[in-house]
Amino acid sequence: MLTGMTPQEDPAADQLPSRRIADAVRELITSGELAPGDKLPSERELARRFGTARNTAREAIRLLTEEALVTPQHGKGVFVREKQRLFRWGNDRYSRKAYRETGLTPFRLEMKRQGKTANIQAVAIDRITPPPDVAERLGVSTDEESVLRRLNEYHADNEPVQLVTTYLRWTDAEGTPLLEPKTGPGGIHGRLEDKGHVLTTGRDEVTARMPTHDEAQFLQAPSGVPVLDVLHTSFDQNGDPFEVTRFVHRADKSGLVYTFNIEN
């Protein structure tokens, strides 16, 4: 029997009834009395315990679903969400020593560490007119097809992990293996070094936002789960930008770790 799920024990008597129910269930989840995978009482039972209408209990479950604490399963009930495995991405993913000398991309090396198989699918490789934020960072025109776009879907085993869209100047990409799914030894940065761009510094702009419909579908993100949007710009030995990549991760499954020097 679940304890603590009664209106008498809820001090926030002035709250909406649906929020009182949601708060009580949330407390059971955070305290561990309701464990990952446990089934919640039905809407009818929640309504009975709290002396409310069934629609009120349904609204409480909706609130908890938007917080990504529970997952409704059609025909089965509502369950506490399982703890998500965290993928950690650091700024060392651009390091030649840390990754490129292993012969593995950062993603493949991270999957190997976790005992998973990396699967990368090229969705699009095309010449496009760049979005304004990309054009601004690369210093190219928004009035013509001035960039190459490479859109890839990343999976760990069969689990979708991230969407990665890379933008390169068309003048750097034209006539090179960058137009192919497999770019050869050293990957994209290897081919850009062939064009005279050696990665020396980078800038990551990190924001949290709600996913688009297509992003949510691919990432299998439950309602209420945001994404981490990382817009990366690479700079070469001359301080010139030569690559912009957008990484989109599920926020509940991804962490960002940055190590940096302090200028005095």
Side-chain angles (χ1 to χ4, degrees):
M1 177 180 179
L2 296 174
T3 61
M5 196 183 287
T6 63
Q8 291 80 8
E9 296 182 15
D10 192 334
D14 59 341
Q15 283 188 329
L16 291 173
S18 59
R19 292 197 176 276
R20 293 204 303 272
I21 298 174
D23 287 349
V25 176
R26 186 188 304 105
E27 175 60 29
L28 294 176
I29 294 173
T30 57
S31 68
E33 187 167 345
L34 276 173
D38 283 352
K39 184 178 180 180
L40 265 62
S42 67
E43 293 175 0
R44 188 184 303 277
E45 177 62 17
L46 286 173
R48 184 192 67 78
R49 295 190 189 190
F50 282 84
T52 66
R54 186 171 175 178
N55 284 346
T56 301
R58 183 177 300 121
E59 173 64 12
I61 291 174
R62 184 190 69 79
L63 293 171
L64 294 166
T65 301
E66 288 188 346
E67 294 178 27
L69 291 174
V70 302
T71 302
Q73 296 184 17
H74 184 68
K76 296 182 179 180
V78 181
F79 297 83
V80 179
R81 287 191 66 208
E82 299 285 348
K83 186 175 180 180
Q84 302 300 307
R85 177 187 291 271
L86 188 67
F87 298 102
R88 294 191 179 276
W89 315 104
N91 57 330
D92 62 346
R93 64 187 180 276
Y94 303 109
S95 166
R96 180 191 301 272
K97 180 178 180 181
Y99 290 104
R100 292 178 60 191
E101 290 181 359
T102 69
L104 297 174
T105 64
F107 182 77
R108 293 188 185 280
L109 186 55
E110 175 68 14
M111 295 306 100
K112 183 179 180 180
R113 288 170 177 166
Q114 297 204 19
K116 292 179 175 288
T117 300
N119 180 18
I120 303 172
Q121 297 179 357
V123 177
I125 303 175
D126 49 12
R127 183 179 182 178
I128 66 165
T129 301
D133 56 350
V134 172
E136 178 184 358
R137 285 157 181 78
L138 281 178
V140 296
S141 172
T142 58
D143 298 327
E144 58 183 347
E145 295 179 340
S146 56
V147 301
L148 174 73
R149 177 185 65 173
R150 297 176 56 93
L151 173 60
N152 292 305
E153 296 176 342
Y154 285 62
H155 297 77
D157 294 335
N158 295 319
E159 177 186 5
V161 174
Q162 63 180 356
L163 284 167
V164 179
T165 309
T166 296
Y167 302 91
L168 308 169
R169 289 191 189 89
W170 180 251
T171 52
D172 287 330
E174 185 178 13
T176 74
L178 292 167
L179 302 180
E180 304 297 328
K182 295 184 178 180
T183 56
I188 289 175
H189 287 151
R191 302 294 68 74
L192 289 168
E193 285 186 9
D194 295 342
K195 301 290 289 187
H197 300 295
V198 178
L199 175 61
T200 55
T201 59
R203 181 178 67 232
D204 284 357
E205 302 169 63
V206 184
T207 57
R209 59 175 174 81
M210 298 309 297
T212 66
H213 175 73
D214 289 344
E215 290 169 345
Q217 277 201 320
F218 168 71
L219 294 171
Q220 299 176 7
S223 175
V225 173
V227 293
L228 292 177
D229 185 310
V230 182
L231 188 62
H232 169 80
T233 305
S234 292
F235 298 88
D236 66 15
Q237 69 279 6
N238 299 315
D240 296 326
F242 64 92
E243 171 217 357
V244 172
T245 296
R246 168 165 271 117
F247 302 88
V248 179
H249 315 266
R250 264 179 61 170
D252 62 333
K253 289 189 173 185
S254 301
L256 302 174
V257 181
Y258 290 92
T259 301
F260 50 88
N261 296 320
I262 304 298
E263 293 184 3
N264 296 315

